Amino acid sequence: MFNCICGVVIISSESLSRTSYNTGKRYLSDSASNDDSIPPERNYSKPAANKKSTSLLNKPWAKNVRCIPNEFIRCPMFSVCQNKARSNYKNKTILESKPENQPTKINYTGRVLRQDDLDVFLELLHYARDKDISVMLEIKRSKLLNALGWPQKTHYYKKLDACLRRLLNANIDGFITRKNYDGVNEKYDFNFNLIESLECEHSSRLICYRLPIGLEVFYQSSCYTRIKIEHRRVLKSNIAKWMHLYHRSHQKNNKYAMSIETAMKICGSKAKSVKTFRQSLNKNLDCLKSFNIDLYIDKDSDRLKYK
């Protein structure tokens, strides 16, 4: 699964394009198409019986829990924006840090993803938590809608299809650092789409998808965040959802308290000014108190701090 060159582990990935067997149309990760439908149904072959299975974790997380790699929620990969227009990015650097011996960089290509896309991605990860992610997985669209808490209505079926298509065409590449089996920090290069393959069988209303094998390394060294899904579902605003997930990925201390300007960048807000964003952020702090996330904006430093 990995090739090691000069101490750098390369995660193998498939082609970044998708080809429909029915039409031959290519679905590119940096496509600017406004068509958010998912690819037509097609038949797919099962992997060889002797192929090594790949799982996200050795021990699956609980049914009421959702898990996602820390890097995915500490950058504007899933923004809090709500306007209809979605920009297209090509090789945009969304995360770059250079701490000693632990460099990280993520470049993003694709249409802007938001919190509803993250909701869908969380459920796809959850469904795959106890399965082999190297093969195609099947789930009914109705079951996925139920898991999301969305009504089974035409609007939400279309919304689900649009989210799936954006995830299919969302490509990330770069490198992260994880401890290897000897406890030594090692650099891992990666390049994959958030969904590697996706098919829709309209007759049976099945969604068939495959996650990228490269996700496995992101879950190493316990570098992921766990949340209770019922907590996320009661939060109404995208900013509240982002703050809940972001602060769950950190320890509760003010040593590295985040400035409001930095929070605005990390969550992908398109607010007209830091002042406007600060007001919006402040309105959403109370709803997090019931989840033991008691934050306030320190006026002197203009940073988010725990009380």
Side-chain angles (χ1 to χ4, degrees), residues 44-197:
Y44 58 89
S45 58
K46 294 184 178 180
N50 60 351
K51 184 177 180 180
K52 182 181 177 181
S53 63
T54 304
S55 58
L56 296 175
L57 289 174
N58 291 331
K59 185 178 180 180
W61 54 85
K63 289 184 178 180
N64 68 331
V65 171
R66 301 295 182 270
C67 289
I68 189 166
N70 290 338
E71 288 85 357
F72 288 17
I73 54 180
R74 294 177 179 175
C75 71
M77 185 181 298
F78 298 96
S79 80
V80 300
C81 294
Q82 292 181 301
N83 57 310
K84 292 183 178 180
R86 290 180 186 255
S87 302
N88 282 279
Y89 293 136
K90 186 171 183 179
N91 205 34
K92 178 181 175 65
T93 300
I94 58 175
L95 179 64
E96 186 170 17
S97 60
K98 300 177 181 179
E100 186 178 356
N101 298 325
Q102 291 185 324
T104 300
K105 185 175 183 179
I106 297 180
N107 300 317
Y108 178 78
T109 296
R111 188 167 294 182
V112 170
L113 301 176
R114 296 177 181 167
Q115 294 299 303
D116 54 354
D117 300 303
L118 177 54
D119 287 329
V120 173
F121 191 53
L122 284 171
E123 293 304 325
L124 296 180
L125 292 171
H126 183 67
Y127 184 70
R129 74 192 188 283
D130 56 352
K131 299 176 176 61
D132 179 3
I133 65 169
S134 68
V135 302
M136 295 292 285
L137 304 177
E138 295 182 352
I139 185 173
K140 287 188 175 182
R141 288 204 299 172
S142 57
K143 182 177 181 179
L144 189 50
L145 282 178
N146 286 336
L148 288 162
W150 296 355
Q152 294 192 33
K153 297 182 178 180
T154 302
H155 168 76
Y156 290 96
Y157 276 107
K158 291 182 178 180
K159 180 178 180 179
L160 174 59
D161 287 354
C163 289
L164 289 169
R165 172 61 187 273
R166 286 190 290 270
L167 292 168
L168 173 69
N169 291 319
N171 174 258
I172 59 172
D173 73 87
F175 51 84
I176 59 174
T177 304
R178 292 289 188 269
K179 291 186 181 298
N180 60 22
Y181 293 109
D182 296 322
V184 179
N185 284 335
E186 198 157 16
K187 179 183 173 185
Y188 292 85
D189 287 357
F190 62 87
N191 188 329
F192 56 76
N193 288 21
L194 295 183
I195 297 178
E196 276 294 340
S197 184

